Structure formats: C-alpha cells, structure tokens
Amino acid sequence: MVNKALSNNLPAGDFHITTHASDWLWAVFSVMLLSLLISLFWTGLGRHRNRIPYQIPVVVLTVASIAYFSMASDLGFAVISNRGGTRQVWYVRYIQWFINAPLILLGLLIFTNMTVSDILTTLFFSWVVVVSGLVGALVSSSYKWGYYAFGLAALFYLWYRLFGHSLRYAFRVGQNVRSGYWGLAAYVAFIWTLYPICWGLSEGSNTISPTSEMVFYGILDIIAGPLFLFFYMLRVSTLQSTDLSAASLSAADRGEIEHKEAPARDTGVPAPGPPQVSTT
C-alpha cells in the first residue's frame, strides 16, 4: 500500500520529514495500537482492573497511538527557524509526553509510601521537563538552550525524587515490589536521559534531519512506552489484592491525616467518683 500522507498533508520548512519517515511513524503507530489492544485485553481479564496500575497502560498507549497517527500523517507540527533554515517541530509529541510522563511516574510512586503532596511535586517536575523542551523547540534564538537547561535541571531533580527522596519512606508493599520498583525506576531513568540527547541533536542544534529525529524518538518511545509497560504489567500481575489495595492515593492511607479517637459514647451510667471515706 502506497503511503500518500505527505501528498495529502504537505510538509513545510526547509528541513522536513520524508516518506520514509512517515513509513517509520506508521510502523510505530502500529506498535502503539497493538500494545493498546493487548493492554485492554489484559485489563479486562484482571480481577482488580479498577485499580490504578491496571488503568495507566491503557491511558498511556491511547495517547501515544493518537500522537503517532498525527505525526505519521504529517500533522501536529509548527515551522520554526533554526540553524541553517526552517524546520518542522512536532508539538503533538510534547502533548503526548505531557500526559504520559507523569502517568508513568505515578505508576511507580504509588507503591512507595511517599505522601500525596510529594507525589504531586514529582509529577509537576515531569511537566517542567516537557514544557521546557516544547518552549525551547519553538524558540528560534539561542535562548532555547536556557529552556534546555531548565529541563535538564528538572530531570535531574526527578531522579533525586525517585532514588533519594523516596528512601525516606517505607514501601507500602513487600520486598518483591520494592526490588521491582528499583529495577523499573532505573529503566525509566536511563531511557529518559537519552531524550535530551535527541533534542539537542534535532530541535536544538538542527544537526540531524527530521527523519533521523523521528527514528531516534520513535525507538525511545517504544522502549519507554510499550516495552516498559510490558515489564510493568508483568510485575503488577503478580501482586496480591492486599498489595494493590496499598497502591492508593488516599491521604489517610499515606499518613497525612491523623486519625483521632472517637469521643466516648454516653451510656447514661455516671462515671465512678473518688472513694468515699467513712467518718464513723
């Protein structure tokens, strides 16, 4: 089947994707869509499918499928002046990351005993990373590297929250989940560290072509999306009901609300007084 996406939606800018890039993006879209269907089937079979860990893969893969459908169709981009000419910048990719990045972090952090406020702060800095990358990509001048620095600083702070700050709290579940958390957190940290490299070579310095950019980002998104979620779902499927119940964002469950003793009920019986001393 001939790919006519670039014929129907014409590329723009001096540096733009080619038909080969669109073919690759359709392949990534197929991986995302197939993974979404598998996750829906897995969630439907789960006894605890209403729990957060079962819902995160469905949301992440739905968003990724829509984003890659848009990019494969050569939609969802802006044309920005860069070194050597104008270049296509796909803002739809950043919309995908803005939604998915905090969800992936949430899938890990709910198994720690971090307070809700700590979790929300961690998720906020994932938004800082994505928004800084988007704004930097849309800036034509060298000031884009200032946003790049902001994004890197937020990314390093995320690693502190994942590997340092979380140590202050006991895990809510057993040793099996604890070891799984460290493995998956290290996996995410390594893959996410590669994204700024791709940004610097593509939207940042215009060193590689948009086609190479799509291949680079596409591989990273597959590894950070479907492949990560595959390992994540394997871990979640081994958990017992009590472990999943512990993965709650309820403030009371995380020790932020102090449980007060209920006042004693009035039974109508007078309280015993001090002993009476006889004077006879």
Side-chain angles (χ1 to χ4, degrees), residues 75-147:
L75 299 171
F77 67 87
V79 178
I80 304 298
S81 296
N82 206 320
R83 189 184 67 175
T86 56
R87 182 186 180 98
Q88 282 183 303
V89 173
W90 279 264
Y91 58 80
V92 70
R93 171 183 287 122
Y94 291 90
I95 297 175
Q96 169 200 350
W97 293 340
F98 187 86
I99 298 173
N100 287 351
L103 289 177
I104 290 175
L105 290 176
L106 178 63
L108 295 173
L109 296 176
I110 54 177
F111 292 108
T112 71
N113 205 32
M114 289 176 66
T115 61
V116 173
S117 59
D118 280 329
I119 291 177
L120 290 177
T121 301
T122 306
L123 302 187
F124 167 76
F125 276 94
S126 71
W127 289 320
V128 173
V129 174
V130 176
V131 172
S132 296
L134 173 59
V135 176
L138 296 177
V139 171
S140 300
S141 67
S142 60
Y143 284 85
K144 65 170 57 195
W145 296 104
Y147 294 99

Side-chain angles (χ1 to χ4, degrees), residues 31-32 35 60-61 104-105 108 155 159 162-163 178-196 218-235:
V31 172
M32 298 296 183
S35 301
V60 168
L61 293 170
I104 290 175
L105 290 176
L108 295 173
L155 184 64
W159 303 157
L162 278 177
F163 299 107
R178 183 185 182 92
S179 61
Y181 170 85
W182 293 120
L184 291 174
Y187 181 105
V188 169
F190 174 73
I191 296 302
W192 283 15
T193 304
L194 300 178
Y195 280 90
I219 293 174
L220 293 180
D221 281 345
I222 290 175
I223 297 175
L227 191 57
F228 166 81
L229 292 173
F230 171 74
F231 295 125
Y232 180 79
M233 289 188 294
L234 285 181
R235 281 287 181 176

